[in-house]
Structures are given as structure tokens and as C-alpha cells.
Amino acid sequence: MTADSETAPAVLFTGFPGFLGSALLERVLARGDGPVACLVQPKYLDAARERAESIVSRVGGTDDWRGNADSDDWRGNADGGRTDPDGEHAAVHLFTGDITEPGLGLGGALGENGSLATVREVYHLAAVYDLGVDRALAEAVNVRGTEHVLDAAERLGVDRFHYVSTCYVSGRYEGTFTEADLRDHGPFTNHYEATKHRAEVAVRDRMEAGFPATVYRPSIVVGDSRTGETDKFDGPYNLLRLLLAQPRPLAVTFTVPGASRSELNVVPRNFVVDAIAALSEREASVGETYQLCDPDPLRVTAFVETLATAADRRRTVRVPTTKRVARAGCRLLSRAGVSVDPATLDYLDHPTRYRCPRTRRALDDCTGALAVPPFDAYADRLVEFVRDHPDRRDGPMA
């Protein structure tokens, strides 16, 4: 039977309890767009339950979250949901499943009388965010997974579909890349970029056929600009950890040919979440693509200097080298206990410049007129968070 209309999910999330997904879920609940169903891999179920409790508590409830079906069975199914014993309506429903499976591994929950039949809006954030991801895994999650979520959304007949892509669908495009660009791109640096490109093409193809989707493309996402909080230390954090591992009077970093001309485009998590929350409320955003990047980013050399200043490294020496030699150096550093991912080096001479004229106009029309804070205004908070959390992971959820 179909779940009661007052308790049944109206929104479906993938990518929970991930870094962006958790923060965005909180915003969606806070504005009253729930109840929300979250598709969770079984191995992350305990983390999802803990995070759901915390989120619901902050947005004004105490017990209004739950798993579907019996208390020992967290898999959504056609039997639908139940209300809590005290009669409170659940704000978050946890469904175990997997986007790499057709039907998302949800069985009858997507059917006409299933417990997700009431879903009208989908936020698809699940992906493998890893520069060194294996090709087979990237294909399964980023490409086929997105196609499966699209199929499920069409089967449900949703009114809105929000897809989180990445600026790096550009590949190594030489020039300025805006929201209007996609089909023309440079060669891809890795399987992450290539599969995210193919996934966005799949979304855009359905948009052209009338599917009500919106695409959001963050650049490199770092921690919260107010607190520095992040779930993992990857990307630019490799540079920061290299700096922090060295004595204060003098720090040595790599520089590769082209770094002085290349930009490193980063945005804090709170800006990305605020922007998606604001844009997703606008009916005019259906059919649009928004690039969530810094319109005035630092060049790589200035970025490293800003990090060094925030880390209180009094002098930084950049050693010119080739990427081949630098990769060998990264492997040696990792063996010495300083984790530096060689895949990060490809972004020190990245030729693409990201700009976002359409997004800036749209955000100017939103309440509060959102803007990206300059990196030097919050770099010290990122450094402080890294220092306070030395054991934070650097691997992806996959």
C-alpha cells in the first residue's frame, strides 16, 4: 500500500551521508521541503543513522527520523513506511540501496504503490569523488549510477531533478569554460573527469527532451569558510599537509611548468550548499546549468603562498621540476609519512579558466545575493581544522 501522504517522502536524496549531501539535506529540511528519503549504501547505514539524528535535532525535531519497514529492516519496500509510535511524522527515511543497480536496489519501493511513489523531487549527489579512481568503479558509479537514478526519477514522474556535476567536465580545455560549455572539451586528466562528463551529458540529453532537471557544477570544494570543517583531506589539502610537515622558517614545494599561469579554483562547502539551496527553490532554474566556482580565483603560485602564510611558514621555496619527478617525490614523501597524492599535481598546470556569468546573475536575484568569499579570507580556518584533526581520512566514500 502507499504510505500515508503526510508521512510519505516528497524528496529523494542520493549521496547521503556524504560531505555535501549532509549539509544540503539539512537546508532542504529546514525550509520545510520534506519528508526526505535518503538512499544509503548498507555499509554507511550506521553513519547515516547518526547523522540523520543530528541533522533532525538541529532543524527542530528530536525523534522525527527513521528507517523504513521494521526496525531491524532498513530497506525500503512496497509495504511503505510507518509512523513513529508517538505519532510524530518522520522527516528522514533511510533506504538501503545502490545506484549501480537497476532500480537502485529498491525493489518495489519505486512502483506505483511503493513507498517512494510520492517523491516529486530528486537530489542526485552520489558519485566517486576521487582523482585516482579506477575506471571500472568510475563507470559503474558516475555513469551507470547516474543513468539508473535518471531512470528512477522518470519512472516516478518527478517535477524536479537536481544533479551535482563538476566544473572538471571540461577536462583540460584550453581557455575559458562557462555554464554554456560542455560538448567541446579538452582531453581528460583522469577517469573521474571523463565519467563525470559522460554523466552530465546523460542528464543534459534528457533535459533537451523535456526532463525537468537542473545541473550544478562546483569547482574544487574545500571546507566550510566559517569553521574549516571538512570530511576528508584531498585535493588542495595535499599542498597544505606538505607545508605543515616542514619547519616553520622554511618550507619547500613543487612547481611545474605552467603553474604561474594556471588558476586553482576552489570554493568552500557552505557557498556550494547555500547556492544549490537558493537556486533549487527557483522555478526558473529548471533546464539551467550553474557553475559554482570562484569568478576571481588565485593563480597556483599565489594559492600556495596564501596557504603558506595561513600555515605560518615564514618562507616558501618553490622548486621547479617536471611532473614526472614531482610524482616520484610524492611517492617518497608518502613512504615517509607525509601523504601527498600524485594525482593532485595535474591541477598545478590546469589550463582551464572557469567563469560563471549565468550563475552570478541568478545568485544576485536570490535573497541575500550569495557570493564566493576570497580564499585568503578563510584559508586560516582550513589550516586550523587540519591541525586540530590530524587523523581525518583522505579517501572517498565508495
Side-chain angles (χ1 to χ4, degrees):
M1 65 179 174
T2 303
D4 184 274
S5 60
E6 292 185 353
T7 65
V11 181
L12 175 64
F13 258 70
T14 73
F16 183 78
F19 183 51
L20 288 179
S22 297
L24 186 57
L25 172 64
E26 185 167 342
R27 293 297 301 274
V28 169
L29 288 176
R31 73 187 187 197
D33 283 359
V36 177
C38 295
L39 182 67
V40 180
Q41 290 186 70
K43 62 184 176 181
Y44 296 122
L45 184 55
D46 287 343
R49 294 172 67 175
E50 182 178 345
R51 193 157 288 184
E53 286 181 341
S54 177
I55 289 171
V56 170
S57 176
R58 285 197 297 272
V59 297
T62 55
D63 298 315
D64 53 341
W65 77 282
R66 61 186 174 84
N68 271 49
D70 297 332
S71 59
D72 292 327
D73 178 9
W74 292 83
R75 186 181 184 87
N77 55 49
D79 291 333
R82 59 175 174 80
T83 57
D84 291 326
D86 61 4
E88 291 294 323
H89 297 160
V92 178
H93 305 238
L94 301 181
F95 288 76
T96 54
D98 191 332
I99 66 171
T100 66
E101 299 179 20
L104 311 182
L106 289 170
L110 296 174
E112 184 177 349
N113 296 315
S115 48
L116 293 177
T118 50
V119 167
R120 309 312 309 158
E121 191 165 13
V122 174
Y123 287 82
H124 177 37
L125 292 85
V128 179
Y129 298 96
D130 180 12
L131 301 181
V133 64
D134 175 77
R135 178 176 180 176
L137 179 60
E139 290 278 347
V141 177
N142 295 348
V143 182
R144 291 196 299 278
T146 296
E147 291 170 344
H148 292 157
V149 177
L150 286 166
D151 290 341
E154 288 194 327
R155 182 177 177 184
L156 292 169
V158 301
D159 301 321
R160 298 292 301 273
F161 185 91
H162 306 280
Y163 173 62
V164 177
S165 182
T166 173
C167 281
Y168 293 88
V169 293
S170 65
R172 293 182 69 84
Y173 179 85
E174 295 194 9
T176 301
F177 194 85
T178 73
E179 303 96 336
D181 301 309
L182 178 64
R183 304 288 177 172
D184 295 328
H185 57 81
F188 296 112
T189 304
N190 47 52
H191 299 308
Y192 168 72
E193 291 182 357
T195 55
K196 288 295 285 185
H197 176 269
R198 288 179 54 199
E200 186 178 324
V201 167
V203 175
R204 297 277 287 268
D205 284 345
R206 301 207 195 193
M207 290 167 67
E208 291 171 6
F211 185 63
T214 306
V215 175
Y216 309 91
R217 293 180 187 161
S219 57
I220 300 170
V221 182
V222 294
D224 192 291
S225 66
R226 300 158 300 190
T227 66
E229 180 186 2
T230 184
D231 266 10
K232 61 178 182 174
F233 297 148
D234 60 355
Y237 288 94
N238 286 278
L239 296 171
L240 176 54
R241 288 192 294 193
L242 176 60
L243 289 167
L244 291 176
Q246 300 179 65
R248 286 187 176 181
L250 177 65
V252 178
T253 63
F254 301 116
T255 184
V256 298
S260 62
R261 302 186 301 274
S262 299
E263 298 174 347
L264 196 60
N265 202 301
V266 303
V267 286
R269 177 180 73 161
N270 51 304
F271 166 74
V272 174
V273 172
D274 288 346
I276 295 176
L279 294 168
S280 64
E281 282 193 298
R282 305 176 76 228
E283 289 187 12
S285 68
V286 175
E288 295 289 350
T289 296
Y290 297 108
Q291 206 145 271
L292 308 179
C293 63
D294 187 344
D296 188 24
L298 295 175
R299 293 188 182 271
V300 170
T301 49
F303 183 92
V304 174
E305 289 171 1
T306 300
L307 269 186
T309 298
D312 194 24
R313 290 322 183 245
R314 298 186 182 91
R315 184 181 176 210
T316 304
V317 175
R318 295 190 299 272
V319 177
T321 186
T322 65
K323 282 199 284 187
R324 181 178 179 180
V325 172
R327 285 192 180 94
C330 288
R331 288 191 288 271
L332 289 173
L333 286 167
S334 295
R335 290 172 192 158
V338 181
S339 181
V340 181
D341 184 0
T344 304
L345 296 170
D346 288 316
Y347 295 86
L348 299 184
D349 63 351
H350 193 68
T352 314
R353 298 184 300 276
Y354 299 105
R355 298 297 182 265
C356 49
R358 182 184 302 166
T359 304
R360 294 181 74 183
R361 289 193 298 269
L363 290 178
D364 283 344
D365 291 338
C366 294
T367 303
L370 297 169
V372 183
F375 182 70
D376 59 6
Y378 63 90
D380 57 338
R381 281 158 232 164
L382 303 185
V383 172
E384 183 178 0
F385 189 86
V386 171
R387 282 178 166 150
D388 291 344
H389 300 82
D391 297 326
R392 187 60 51 106
R393 68 187 179 91
D394 57 5
M397 291 179 66

